[in-house]
């Protein structure tokens, strides 16, 4: 299944490694260094400030959607897959 992470971008739920809240990203030196090293794989989907960081196998997305919203969406889709 796919999850909408912002703008017109859909990401396979199986490809998502982590969804991290903006506050965690801003206060973690390790995550800041990680983002600097992966700058060429970073897509900013937020028109203003981002609310969460979505890490996938191939890309990093700065999403305008809250991490709690993305978590709910991913749970909804995983529950649907279990029904099939």
């Amino acid at each position: 299944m796919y999850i909408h992470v912002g703008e017109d971008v859909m990401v396979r739920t199986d490809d998502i490694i982590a969804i991290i809240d903006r506050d965690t990203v801003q206060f973690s030196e390790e995550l800041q260094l990680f983002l600097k090293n992966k700058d060429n794989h970073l897509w900013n989907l937020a028109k203003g400030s981002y609310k969460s960081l979505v890490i996938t196998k191939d890309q990093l997305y700065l999403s305008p959607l809250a991490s709690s919203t993305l978590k709910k969406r991913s749970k909804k889709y995983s529950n649907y897959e279990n029904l099939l």
Side-chain angles (χ1 to χ4, degrees):
M1 296 302 278
Y2 289 84
I3 183 172
H4 174 258
V5 294
E7 291 296 311
D8 293 328
V9 178
M10 300 289 282
V11 175
R12 282 181 46 98
T13 54
D14 291 344
D15 291 344
I16 295 175
I17 296 169
I19 299 172
I20 304 170
D21 185 70
R22 177 187 68 204
D23 292 337
T24 303
V25 173
Q26 290 179 338
F27 292 113
S28 171
E29 291 179 25
E30 291 85 8
L31 283 173
Q32 291 295 323
L33 182 60
F34 176 75
L35 289 176
K36 282 184 182 180
N37 289 333
K38 299 290 186 181
D39 191 43
N40 57 335
H41 294 285
L42 182 65
W43 286 16
N44 188 351
L45 304 174
K47 294 189 176 165
S49 67
Y50 69 97
K51 294 183 181 177
S52 62
L53 169 66
V54 179
I55 301 173
T56 68
K57 294 177 183 177
D58 300 319
Q59 290 288 6
L60 306 171
Y61 300 96
L62 296 177
S63 175
L65 304 171
S67 58
S68 59
T69 301
L70 294 171
K71 180 181 174 183
K72 288 176 193 174
R73 289 181 181 183
S74 67
K75 278 187 172 182
K76 181 174 88 173
Y77 291 126
S78 67
N79 288 340
Y80 175 74
E81 286 177 339
N82 290 335
L83 294 174
L84 297 178

